[in-house]
Amino acid sequence: MNILILHGSSDLYGASKILLVTVRMLRKKGFHPIIVLTEPGPLSNALESEGFETVYMRLGILRRKYKTIPGMVNRFITIRKAIAALKKLVREKNTQLIYSNTTAVLAGAFAAKATGIRHVWHIHEIIEQPKWLFYLLGNMVNRYSTRVIVVSEAVKKSWGRYVSAEKMARVYNGIEYAPYQQPSSKLREELGLDEQTIVIGMIGRVHHWKGQEYFVEIASQLAKQYKSVHFVMIGDVFPGYEYLYKSLAKQKKEAGIESLVTDLGYRTDVATLLQGFDIFVLPSTLPDPFPTVILEAMAAGKPVVATRHGGAMEMIDESVTGFLMPVNDAEKASMIIGKLVNDKALRLQMGQAGRQKVLSQYSLEAFEQEMIKVLE
């Protein structure tokens, strides 16, 4: 079966990593995936290096920067052109299925309807605002999908307001965990830190809701209480939000913790860097549907502290594999993280429990089996 797979970016963060896992699985099962991306980047480099057929096309991806009236007009025109191009591609490639990865990609749904083939929508998002957009997308997903894959119960509950329960299948993400279980890391050496320093880190695209500002607030609180702590931020800025770098730099300077917070930007050696963390923090200020980075941190044997909403509530066993912390209350969050700063044995115990959970409940094999059921 030829499957046209549409994706809205060429980064290598959460949804893109799952797409890479998915296309590898499809090829292994005898399918022929053809991946359509908007531009070259780390994801396309990985795909092409493994011999996957990749096509570049302006798909009219939904972004916040297009929420103005001129922006919406721009998206309408671009999506119309994308639908025509996709219809042509469906015929040329003898495609039997279109798979849209994330609801930011709309053109595939209309192209599938126009050509009479099946359409599967893989939803990685929880959308709270604006309500009109959620209403519009929800009804569109329900109308233009044969099946809908959701990445967590939190996502299923959210989209269940508009999407038929019979169409939805909850499939937890799974990844290849072996790279995250390597014991060595040169992070401390890179940063010039001794073994007594507690390294607290976060990984995520720099964006308003990903919580980098909240992370710095928490770091400021912890720095007042503990002398041997250092904070690490990994991830580059989402295009169009470069000004957030200046905002974060100003925030760190005003808090007097510039020397205690290292921003490593985009890195390809995340699996190795994670081994240098003592504590992993996910400070998202809006619900994170099913953060792949938590799977990575748990596989690396790290205790996880995440904000109390979204998919994290399904992934973390409170006081067993980590802790859930409040949103936008740095003082309380620092007290929770402080439990781990003070107790090495607890860090190791929670890290091991997290590793056991991720390998048993979120295995790559289970992900592959469930995905095949839906796509076939």
Side-chain angles (χ1 to χ4, degrees), residues 25 28-29 364-373:
M25 174 268 296
K28 184 172 67 176
K29 298 293 184 181
L364 182 58
E365 292 74 20
F367 172 76
E368 291 180 347
Q369 289 172 10
E370 293 302 314
M371 287 292 288
I372 287 297
K373 285 181 185 178

Side-chain angles (χ1 to χ4, degrees), residues 25 28 53 56-57 81 89-90 111 127-128 138 154 162 174 180-181 185 192 206 208 238 251 283 288 312 316:
M25 174 268 296
K28 184 172 67 176
E53 185 175 357
Y56 297 103
M57 181 188 301
K81 291 180 180 178
L89 194 60
V90 165
I127 299 175
E128 294 187 333
Y162 303 112
Y180 299 94
Q181 298 180 60
S185 175
V206 180
H208 289 294
F238 199 85
Q251 185 185 4
D288 216 327
I316 296 171

Side-chain angles (χ1 to χ4, degrees), residues 191 193 197-198 200 215 219-220 222-224 226-233 252 255-263:
L191 301 182
L193 303 175
T197 300
I198 305 301
I200 303 168
F215 184 75
S220 178
L222 287 166
K224 296 174 185 176
Y226 305 98
K227 292 182 179 180
S228 298
V229 288
H230 194 87
F231 306 90
V232 176
M233 302 167 69
K252 286 182 280 188
I257 57 171
E258 292 172 286
S259 63
L260 297 179
V261 183
T262 300
D263 188 347

Side-chain angles (χ1 to χ4, degrees), residues 292-305:
T292 304
V293 70
I294 287 185
L295 299 180
E296 295 170 345
M298 291 168 74
K302 306 303 170 182
V304 177
V305 182

Side-chain angles (χ1 to χ4, degrees), residues 100 116 187 277:
S100 297
L187 179 62
F277 289 6

